[in-house]
Amino acid sequence: MAKISINIATGSLQQEEIIVGIDLGTTNSLVAIIHPETKQAVALKEHDSSSLVPSVVHFGASGEVTVGEAARQFLVTEPENTIFSAKRLMGRSYADVQANQAFFSYSIIDDDSDTLVKVKAGDRFYSPVELSAYILKELKHRAEHIVKTAVNKAVITVPAYFNDAQRQATRDAGKLAGLDVLRIVNEPTAASLAYGIGLDKNDHKTIAVYDLGGGTFDISILRINSGIVDVCATNGDTYLGGDDFDRAIVRHWMEEHGIAEASLKTDRELSQRLRLQAEAAKRILSTDDVFAAVSGGYALCLSRVQFDALVRPLVQRTIDCCGRALADAGVDKAEIDSVVMVGGSTRVPLVNEMVSAFFGRPLNNSLNPDEVVALGAAIQADILAGNNKDFLLLDITPLSLGVETMGGLMDVLIPRNSRIPTKAGRQYTTQKDGQSGMVIGVFQGERDMVKDNRRLASFTLTGIPAMPAGLPKVDISFLINADGILSVTARELRSGVEQSIEVKPQYGLTDAEVEQMLQDSITHAKEDIATRALVEVRTEGEQLLQTTEQFILKNGSLLTAAEINDTAAAMQALQLALTMTDKDLIHRKIEALNECSRPYAERVMDTAISMAMKGSKV
Ligand code: AMP
């Protein structure tokens, strides 16, 4: 077992260990380290191959999993079992991605049991967390193979706009891949670090980071003051990137050769083939003036001039986003000290031209735009490892802090490795009608169930006025001051009742115990994630049973005998499923009960409304 040593007082890590920086991208991912001799950040690659690992996972007929370049080959031959752009699905519900379903050549499943989407390949379902974990595992293996030592720790980057759920999903993916994720860093912050911006303690700068990748565009305005980075504004388009350039080229060729939209829908192979040729054309046109190839019986040609005309409106959309980001940040173009270019699509000459013209200044584009985020992540990892002595290392929390929620789940308010002082808050509510007290259990640790974590304190917020379940709003806030003291305050917002407690999170924990807790979270990652999903669906099932029961009690007279019988049967089936551990079964029974009650619930609602309109009360 690898030794993990964290100095609890400073949050710094033991020096000799390798901590890798990982850019987990939509199109490509890569891993970087600080070279032990040159002390420069380098992206890891095998011999002459590319440092980029395509973020593509292929599932073979007999269950074998292929990742990266080898998997990319299957995009043409087996699009339904070849998953790309899984990052787009991270921490997302089906409702979030539904409108863009046509974008994916594989099936996206609406599975509310995880409240997150799943992807179907072969006869199995995969969560975006699992898919990303396959990519991270591949990067971990690649790094281990190249540096010839075990790699267990990483800094992983995410877009600046990622919300808590998406950041947590990224952490979970790292955990599932056997990586201890020391920090989640914003991509624009990492990119700036790669250019050395922010490394000087006296730096006071305003930076624009323009990131045009394969599928997404992000513009971030950062303010860097004495090593502290603030994201002032982000803007962008989650469905705009190099892939759109490819699609514009495909459309152009389709028009030219009279290929109908419908024939591409039925002939997926032709569709993928054109897509790959379009990408090849775009790459060639970043340096050459013309592209010509023959594929699938079609002569495919394109000039730089034609290409520029095709993509100009798309690039203009990115420029419009830049304008909005500046306005949101309240920053004038003239105040921008550097413009950092990130993402493979910034190799397109027209992109550089238009961005440089907009900001009226030269660009920071000397580093490989595909690698710059990973390089920055490696620099951040090196700072965390305590190797970069010049850099101020701020205190961080060694373990996550959170509260117990329904079903004994750990709800993290302050993730581990957060810089202190820090504060965080979230709203909770009651589970029972008329509940007047709420027990607040404060826990520390990385496991998904509080029983596996360390209980720091617990106290009861009393005096909540009687209200139906779900109505009280209890705000729980965590504040860690500069001395590492955590104070937890619970306040019911409607009545103003408040209670608080102070704890010393580090107190009594030895280095070895912290190490053990971190290791456990990695060892149990898979079962923890599964348990969380089961607890969540069970809670949902129990709540549905309660509300259905109350509904029938109140409105039974408006229902037919058959409706009551069917509902009772569906409730019984759900009750039975809740005693078992098959979350998909519970999910199906929830759906079935919902299906059964939907028609009369709507009818009762309509009756209530029409009676209310007549002035009577139901
Ligand atoms: P990323 O998501 O940052 O990995 O960016 C990948 C995108 O960059 C894909 O759309 C690629 O087609 C595009 N790309 C990579 N190299 C080039 C190039 N030489 N010229 C134009 N686009 C490129």
Side-chain angles (χ1 to χ4, degrees):
M1 190 170 76
K3 178 145 173 59
I4 297 178
S5 309
I6 296 181
N7 179 332
I8 299 190
T10 63
S12 65
L13 295 143
Q14 219 183 2
Q15 291 196 11
E16 62 266 27
E17 264 184 302
I18 287 201
I19 308 178
V20 295
I22 292 180
D23 172 6
L24 183 61
T26 310
T27 318
N28 294 302
S29 299
L30 65 159
V31 50
I33 58 161
I34 298 296
H35 194 283
E37 278 135 39
T38 64
K39 305 287 178 213
Q40 295 295 307
V42 283
L44 294 177
K45 55 180 161 190
E46 312 255 14
H47 308 296
D48 296 336
S49 66
S50 161
S51 58
L52 301 183
V53 174
S55 306
V56 181
V57 184
H58 171 259
F59 296 96
S62 43
E64 71 278 14
V65 182
T66 325
V67 177
E69 198 49 53
R72 213 168 93 95
Q73 312 299 326
F74 290 105
L75 280 174
V76 172
T77 52
E78 276 183 59
E80 64 285 358
N81 291 329
T82 313
I83 319 299
F84 61 94
S85 284
K87 185 176 177 179
R88 292 183 173 286
L89 306 174
M90 285 296 257
R92 296 272 179 180
S93 70
Y94 184 66
D96 293 333
V97 291
Q98 199 173 17
N100 296 294
Q101 161 97 61
F103 169 85
F104 304 93
S105 50
Y106 43 88
S107 342
I108 296 173
I109 309 297
D110 172 13
D111 180 355
D112 282 342
S113 63
D114 291 337
T115 59
L116 300 172
V117 290
K118 284 206 167 177
V119 161
K120 185 164 189 266
D123 51 7
R124 264 209 61 188
F125 298 94
Y126 298 91
S127 67
V129 169
E130 286 173 277
L131 295 167
S132 298
Y134 281 119
I135 298 167
L136 290 171
K137 248 186 228 164
E138 174 73 21
L139 295 170
K140 174 173 149 66
H141 288 154
R142 168 184 281 230
E144 286 174 337
H145 191 237
I146 298 170
V147 301
K148 309 232 170 344
T149 131
V151 170
N152 299 309
K153 296 175 179 179
V155 166
I156 304 181
T157 58
V158 296
Y161 60 78
F162 254 29
N163 63 23
D164 277 356
Q166 293 169 306
R167 284 168 199 264
Q168 188 53 45
T170 308
R171 274 180 187 281
D172 285 347
K175 210 162 147 185
L176 206 51
L179 286 169
D180 180 12
V181 182
L182 296 187
R183 198 170 282 190
I184 295 282
V185 176
N186 287 328
E187 289 163 8
T189 307
S192 306
L193 265 182
Y195 279 99
I197 304 167
L199 275 178
D200 183 339
K201 268 178 262 173
N202 303 316
D203 262 354
H204 296 284
K205 286 195 164 153
T206 309
I207 318 289
V209 182
Y210 178 101
D211 181 350
L212 189 59
T216 55
F217 168 65
D218 300 310
I219 172 78
S220 315
I221 309 295
L222 310 179
R223 271 224 176 87
I224 300 182
N225 275 319
S226 317
I228 297 186
V229 185
D230 272 323
V231 181
C232 305
T234 63
N235 206 294
D237 190 328
T238 40
Y239 284 92
L240 177 59
D243 298 347
D244 295 284
F245 295 5
D246 303 350
R247 273 191 286 275
I249 300 174
V250 170
R251 267 197 306 277
H252 168 80
W253 283 338
M254 282 167 65
E255 273 169 32
E256 199 173 72
H257 294 284
I259 304 169
E261 189 80 42
S263 60
L264 275 201
K265 285 224 168 72
T266 49
D267 189 348
R268 278 191 164 170
E269 192 176 328
L270 174 65
S271 148
Q272 294 284 9
R273 196 184 286 281
L274 283 178
R275 209 170 76 108
L276 293 180
Q277 283 296 336
E279 205 212 339
K282 175 184 71 176
R283 286 172 185 262
I284 298 274
L285 293 174
S286 286
T287 48
D288 296 5
D289 289 330
V290 282
F291 168 86
V294 177
S295 178
Y298 295 103
L300 306 171
C301 304
L302 196 70
S303 72
R304 168 87 70 88
V305 176
Q306 285 174 310
F307 173 68
D308 283 359
L310 286 175
V311 302
R312 187 177 294 276
L314 298 169
V315 184
Q316 185 54 47
R317 274 168 58 195
T318 70
I319 299 291
D320 297 343
C321 292
C322 293
R324 283 195 289 273
L326 285 173
D328 287 349
V331 168
D332 191 77
K333 270 193 269 190
E335 292 173 56
I336 298 288
D337 298 302
S338 315
V339 181
V340 174
M341 299 296 272
V342 183
S345 302
T346 61
R347 289 206 182 83
V348 172
L350 183 75
V351 170
N352 282 281
E353 231 170 77
M354 290 175 70
V355 175
S356 178
F358 174 77
F359 285 101
R361 54 171 307 117
L363 310 171
N364 277 355
N365 58 3
S366 56
L367 292 172
N368 180 334
D370 288 315
E371 294 182 349
V372 44
V373 168
L375 298 179
I379 295 172
Q380 176 74 59
D382 196 48
I383 293 168
L384 285 177
N387 294 340
N388 194 332
K389 291 275 184 284
D390 299 336
F391 198 79
L392 177 76
L393 185 70
L394 294 148
D395 275 1
I396 53 172
T397 55
L399 291 166
S400 300
L401 296 162
V403 293
E404 174 175 0
T405 58
M406 280 179 297
L409 281 178
M410 169 90 171
D411 198 20
V412 171
L413 275 103
I414 298 183
R416 78 190 205 81
N417 282 323
S418 296
R419 199 166 57 205
I420 58 173
T422 182
K423 61 174 195 265
R426 206 163 286 162
Q427 267 184 20
Y428 298 85
T429 188
T430 50
Q431 271 173 283
K432 295 204 179 78
D433 287 345
Q435 187 176 329
S436 65
M438 192 185 233
V439 180
I440 290 132
V442 182
F443 289 82
Q444 179 181 39
E446 307 313 307
R447 301 287 301 275
D448 280 347
M449 303 297 296
V450 291
K451 70 174 172 46
D452 300 319
N453 288 330
R454 181 168 179 255
R455 179 188 289 274
L456 289 177
S458 96
F459 64 100
T460 310
L461 176 68
T462 51
I464 302 174
M467 277 184 260
L471 222 53
K473 285 188 180 156
V474 178
D475 205 87
I476 297 186
S477 60
F478 277 32
L479 175 90
I480 306 185
N481 68 14
D483 301 324
I485 306 290
L486 168 72
S487 43
V488 181
T489 305
R491 184 180 155 83
E492 202 287 306
L493 297 181
R494 291 174 197 275
S495 57
V497 290
E498 187 178 302
Q499 209 108 14
S500 61
I501 195 167
E502 273 198 356
V503 263
K504 267 191 186 166
Q506 267 88 329
Y507 184 74
L509 258 195
T510 65
D511 280 19
E513 280 165 336
V514 172
E515 174 191 324
Q516 190 56 47
M517 288 170 88
L518 294 179
Q519 271 302 343
D520 284 351
S521 78
I522 293 175
T523 322
H524 298 285
K526 205 159 186 163
E527 73 191 62
D528 269 12
I529 292 169
T531 312
R532 176 178 282 271
L534 180 63
V535 169
E536 279 172 1
V537 74
R538 270 194 180 149
T539 307
E540 187 186 338
E542 274 156 13
Q543 280 175 341
L544 181 65
L545 279 179
Q546 257 182 32
T547 44
T548 313
E549 201 174 292
Q550 278 170 4
F551 186 90
I552 300 215
L553 266 178
K554 202 166 151 214
N555 303 297
S557 59
L558 298 170
L559 309 190
T560 66
E563 282 169 341
I564 293 184
N565 279 339
D566 289 352
T567 308
M571 285 173 74
Q572 229 166 31
L574 174 57
Q575 196 108 50
L576 182 67
L578 285 175
T579 62
M580 293 179 257
T581 53
D582 179 348
K583 76 174 165 51
D584 293 331
L585 177 74
I586 302 176
H587 182 55
R588 282 199 300 277
K589 298 301 172 199
I590 289 178
E591 281 290 285
L593 178 54
N594 271 327
E595 271 314 303
C596 176
S597 59
R598 193 166 295 136
Y600 63 73
E602 279 168 13
R603 196 181 69 225
V604 170
M605 210 66 95
D606 287 347
T607 317
I609 292 169
S610 67
M611 291 184 67
M613 282 167 70
K614 283 188 210 134
S616 42
K617 206 167 178 294
V618 279

